[in-house]
Amino acid sequence: MDRREFIRIVTSVCASHSLLATLTTRAMDDTLIMEDGKVTFAAGEPSLLQSAVEAETIHVSSVGTSLILDVSGTPGRHVVILYKLATQAGVERTFIHKIGRIKKSGVAGFVIKMARSLDQEIPFMVVTSAAKDFDTGNSGTGWFEVRINSGQTGTVSVTQNYGTDPEGPHQKVVLYGVNHLQKRSFAPLKRR
């Protein structure tokens, strides 16, 4: 996906608990190949299951330096939170941050600690699937960037209540923008 199509979500550490964006998933033909905490996308066959699955809703909010993703949808579906980083050689890699499952209540909650990544744009994607290996009935949000400002001088001011339409009318309260990848301190998921 071209970086101009990213959705950019901006908030500040000083903001109290606040809803930043509401996103929805759409059917994906891609399957995910997951190895050593890294992900690549492979073209898959369109699945009949995809048309039967209702779109999930992702509420993106923040509390201080933590990002909260609440995924609402069909209980039992698998969820993976992906993010992108650039290596020192400037190559983009996609990593797994968290894996979970939508509970019986119809919601899966994820907390992402961003304290070491303030004032940086981190691209995220939420993918859900009918299968644990993410090869059947996948849905995804597309990439969106999150920036939490530390409040230090020289950082971008907080922008609120911007509505844009890069993917459809379901995307709300986001600021659309283009940013260059830079070296980040956000670390890949560590397996135990």
Side-chain angles (χ1 to χ4, degrees), residues 68-184:
I68 315 293
L69 300 178
D70 290 317
V71 182
S72 303
T74 306
R77 281 186 58 85
H78 298 270
V79 181
V80 63
I81 311 294
L82 305 175
Y83 67 95
K84 279 188 187 183
L85 292 180
T87 64
Q88 290 181 349
V91 178
E92 275 189 351
R93 303 256 186 222
T94 302
F95 296 93
I96 299 168
H97 191 274
K98 298 207 177 203
I99 297 176
R101 204 161 185 190
I102 298 176
K103 299 177 181 171
K104 288 182 183 178
S105 63
V107 178
F110 300 90
V111 177
I112 301 172
K113 298 189 185 299
M114 302 277 288
R116 297 182 64 191
S117 301
L118 298 179
D119 303 315
Q120 298 177 38
E121 290 82 18
I122 308 291
F124 289 98
M125 176 189 276
V126 177
V127 178
T128 65
S129 181
K132 188 164 95 172
D133 53 4
F134 291 86
D135 65 355
T136 306
N138 289 356
S139 294
T141 59
W143 289 101
F144 58 95
E145 276 185 347
V146 175
R147 177 185 178 107
I148 298 183
N149 292 327
S150 64
Q152 297 175 8
T153 56
T155 61
V156 176
S157 61
V158 178
T159 307
Q160 296 288 340
N161 300 323
Y162 273 77
T164 61
D165 194 14
E167 298 289 337
H170 53 278
Q171 313 295 357
K172 299 176 185 171
V173 197
V174 294
L175 174 65
Y176 179 59
V178 181
N179 295 286
H180 297 291
L181 280 174
Q182 54 187 284
K183 187 177 174 186
R184 299 179 173 93

